[in-house]
C-alpha cells in the first residue's frame, strides 16, 4: 500500500474552502469532484476535475474551493506556517495603516504651520 499517496487526503463539501499556505512546489490532486484553485498574486483560475493535479508555482496563500463535493490530496503544511502567514499579514496591514495615518497627520501639521 502506498501510504505516501494516501496522506493528507481530505473531503471538502460543496462550497467549502481550504486555505493552504507554504505549499510552493507541492502538488494538489483532485481525486473526485471539482476544485477551483486560486493563488495569492495570481490572476489565473485553476479548475481541477477528477484525476487532475496542480503544482503550486508561487509562494503565498492558496485557496482550494470545492464547487461540488470533492476529495483531494493537499500538500502537508504545518499549522504554524498558516499562523505565520496570518501574523505577517496583520503586520503588513498595521504598517500600511500607520503609514497612511502618519501621511495624513503630517500633511495637516504642515498645513497648520504655513
Amino acid at each position: 500500500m502506498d501510504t505516501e499517496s494516501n496522506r493528507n487526503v481530505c473531503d471538502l463539501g460543496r462550497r467549502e474552502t481550504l486555505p493552504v499556505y507554504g505549499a510552493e512546489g507541492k502538488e494538489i490532486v483532485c481525486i473526485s469532484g471539482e476544485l477551483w484553485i486560486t493563488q495569492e498574486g495570481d490572476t489565473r483560475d485553476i479548475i481541477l476535475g477528477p484525476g487532475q493535479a496542480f503544482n503550486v508555482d508561487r509562494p503565498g496563500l492558496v485557496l482550494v474551493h470545492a464547487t461540488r463535493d470533492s476529495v483531494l490530496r493537499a500538500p502537508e503544511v504545518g499549522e504554524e506556517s498558516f499562523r505565520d502567514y496570518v501574523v505577517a499579514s496583520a503586520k503588513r496591514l498595521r504598517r500600511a495603516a500607520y503609514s497612511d495615518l502618519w501621511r495624513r497627520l503630517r500633511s495637516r501639521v504642515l498645513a497648520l504651520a504655513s
Side-chain angles (χ1 to χ4, degrees):
M1 178 179 202
D2 184 5
T3 56
E4 185 64 33
S5 66
N6 291 325
R7 296 172 91 189
N8 306 316
V9 173
C10 63
D11 297 321
L12 278 184
R14 182 174 183 238
R15 297 184 181 160
E16 285 186 322
T17 301
L18 174 69
V20 180
Y21 184 76
E24 183 179 13
K26 297 184 180 175
E27 184 177 65
I28 297 170
V29 179
C30 179
I31 297 170
S32 67
E34 184 177 72
L35 302 172
W36 169 45
I37 299 173
T38 186
Q39 301 179 95
E40 180 177 1
D42 190 356
T43 58
R44 296 177 296 169
D45 290 321
I46 294 97
I47 305 295
L48 298 182
Q52 294 181 317
F54 173 71
N55 285 312
V56 177
D57 57 6
R58 58 182 65 215
L61 180 63
V62 177
L63 296 177
V64 182
H65 180 79
T67 57
R68 298 192 294 239
D69 289 344
S70 301
V71 177
L72 68 128
R73 188 172 64 242
E76 184 172 331
V77 293
E79 188 178 304
E80 286 183 20
S81 63
F82 186 70
R83 185 174 52 241
D84 292 345
Y85 171 75
V86 171
V87 168
S89 295
K91 286 180 180 177
R92 280 195 310 265
L93 288 172
R94 189 171 49 240
R95 242 188 335 260
Y98 284 141
S99 176
D100 184 53
L101 178 63
W102 174 249
R103 185 176 40 81
R104 289 179 185 195
L105 286 174
R106 194 174 102 195
S107 66
R108 287 185 182 168
V109 167
L110 290 175
L112 289 172
S114 41

